[in-house]
């Protein structure tokens, strides 16, 4: 298992491999040309950044067999994909901001894939070779706005609506990982990636036949049953995924005057 991180050190953006409290600096500026430097620094010497810089974030809806369908919904025969704005990304322990126009805010635990190289029309058989690694993600959603709109862009893309882990974890088996959501200390969602309807190689192949995937692009693979726990001001949300760890974010209500009501 390899943990890649992106950070600022001495005013320079760099990548490294995390070894406990120490980081081995990587030469190169992309996954395709990384080289180990054998130079180590302590994690206290750096400022963590979002783990990658995606051109796009592709999400997958209703992708678990244990999903309890809402009224009018049905299990998709093909992957249900939509986009989420990269500007929604925040890190572990950053705040989820509930915008003034939102009444009902929910959380969804998801395993996210980070793409490691450019690919178009990728075959299912080759899909694993395009994976840089995996992240923990919380697909925060304005549920009331999602019901108002035909498209989900607004409901999914507010600033701070995509908490991600800082570490891109590579070289793990991803088909049997437990996923949990914990709100204020209570387990509200529990599932396993083995219950995906469309598995990860299929998703990569399917999406790449629609749009070219680039290094750093992120694919959210869907959320297990039990999703949609309502969260509000002051709530603490923890997303846990086996082998990856956990992320912890607290909700705060926005009182900025520029926000629409």
């Amino acid at each position: 298992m390899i943990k890649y991180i992106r950070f600022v050190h001495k005013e320079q953006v760099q990548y490294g491999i995390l070894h406990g409290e120490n980081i081995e600096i990587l030469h190169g500026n992309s996954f395709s040309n990384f080289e180990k430097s054998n130079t180590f620094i302590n994690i206290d010497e750096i400022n963590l950044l979002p783990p990658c810089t995606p051109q796009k974030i592709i999400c997958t809806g209703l992708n678990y067999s244990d999903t309890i369908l809402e009224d009018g919904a049905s299990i998709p025969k093909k992957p249900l994909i939509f986009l989420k704005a990269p500007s929604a990304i925040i890190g572990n322990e950053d705040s989820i901001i509930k915008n003034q126009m939102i009444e009902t805010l929910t959380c969804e635990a998801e395993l996210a894939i980070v793409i490691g190289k450019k690919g178009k029309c990728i075959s299912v058989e080759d899909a694993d070779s395009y994976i840089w690694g995996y992240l923990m993600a919380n697909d925060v959603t304005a549920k009331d706005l999602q019901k108002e709109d035909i498209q989900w862009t607004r409901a999914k893309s507010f600033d701070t609506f995509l908490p991600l882990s800082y570490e891109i974890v590579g070289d793990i088996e991803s088909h049997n990982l437990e996923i949990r959501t914990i709100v204020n200390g209570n387990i509200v969602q529990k599932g396993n990636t083995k219950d995906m309807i469309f598995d990860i190689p299929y998703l990569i192949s399917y999406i790449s036949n629609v749009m070219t995937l680039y290094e750093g692009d992120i694919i959210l693979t869907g959320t297990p049953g039990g999703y949609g726990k309502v969260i509000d001001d002051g709530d603490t949300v923890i997303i846990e995924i086996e082998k990856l760890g956990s992320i912890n974010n607290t909700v705060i209500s926005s009182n900025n005057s520029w926000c629409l009501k």
Side-chain angles (χ1 to χ4, degrees), residues 17 36 49 79 88 124 148 152 174 176 189 194 203 205-206 218 223 259 261:
I17 297 175
K36 293 184 178 181
L49 296 173
V124 171
E148 283 184 13
W152 294 355
S174 60
N176 187 17
Q189 183 183 21
K194 68 183 180 182
L203 287 176
S205 177
Y206 181 87
I218 294 173
T223 191
C259 291
K261 297 182 180 180

Side-chain angles (χ1 to χ4, degrees), residues 24-260:
E24 182 175 10
I25 294 175
L26 291 170
H27 294 314
N29 56 12
S30 71
F31 180 66
S32 59
N33 64 17
F34 283 155
E35 293 182 2
K36 293 184 178 181
S37 67
N38 202 32
T39 300
F40 292 81
I41 56 175
N42 190 274
I43 197 168
D44 292 336
E45 300 177 51
I46 60 101
N47 292 317
L48 284 168
L49 296 173
C52 53
T53 54
Q55 291 192 24
K56 53 190 173 293
I57 299 164
I58 309 102
C59 306
T60 312
L62 302 178
N63 193 35
Y64 276 77
S65 58
D66 62 350
T67 296
I68 299 173
L69 296 174
E70 300 175 16
D71 290 342
S74 59
I75 294 296
K77 295 180 180 179
K78 299 177 182 179
L80 174 61
I81 61 173
F82 57 95
L83 297 175
K84 196 172 178 97
S87 54
I89 292 173
I90 57 172
N92 181 37
E93 298 188 353
D94 289 338
S95 297
I96 298 167
I97 299 174
K98 183 181 179 183
N99 189 286
Q100 289 183 357
M101 74 174 75
I102 299 167
E103 293 185 5
T104 306
L105 195 65
T106 63
C107 55
E108 300 179 9
E110 305 205 18
L111 177 68
I113 308 161
V114 182
I115 297 299
K117 61 182 178 180
K118 180 181 177 181
K120 174 67 177 173
C121 297
I122 301 165
S123 69
V124 171
E125 293 75 19
D126 290 340
D128 283 347
S129 69
Y130 286 81
I131 298 173
W132 177 344
Y134 300 90
L135 298 167
M136 294 170 283
N138 183 356
D139 181 16
V140 180
T141 305
K143 200 66 177 179
D144 54 320
L145 304 187
Q146 186 181 24
K147 292 177 180 178
E148 283 184 13
D149 298 344
I150 296 174
Q151 300 289 339
W152 294 355
T153 304
R154 178 171 65 130
K156 296 284 189 175
S157 292
F158 282 89
D159 291 349
T160 76
F161 273 24
L162 186 57
L164 294 175
S165 47
Y166 283 114
E167 303 161 6
I168 300 174
V169 181
D171 289 349
I172 63 168
E173 294 291 336
S174 60
H175 66 278
N176 187 17
L177 301 176
E178 289 193 0
I179 300 177
R180 301 200 306 174
T181 302
I182 302 168
V183 177
N184 299 332
N186 299 309
I187 299 172
V188 299
Q189 183 183 21
K190 188 175 181 180
N192 192 295
T193 58
K194 68 183 180 182
D195 294 321
M196 286 184 188
I197 297 169
F198 305 106
D199 65 15
I200 287 171
Y202 186 86
L203 287 176
I204 292 172
S205 177
Y206 181 87
I207 292 167
S208 74
N209 275 269
V210 177
M211 61 191 83
T212 302
L213 294 173
Y214 292 92
E215 180 181 323
D217 282 353
I218 294 173
I219 299 174
L220 271 60
T221 57
T223 191
Y227 71 91
K229 169 66 177 176
V230 175
I231 53 176
D232 212 334
D233 190 31
D235 287 343
T236 297
V237 183
I238 297 174
I239 305 297
E240 293 182 345
I241 300 183
E242 185 181 357
K243 296 184 180 179
L244 272 67
S246 64
I247 53 174
N248 185 330
N249 302 89
T250 299
V251 181
I252 61 173
S253 292
S254 168
N255 57 5
N256 292 324
S257 59
W258 52 263
C259 291
L260 295 174

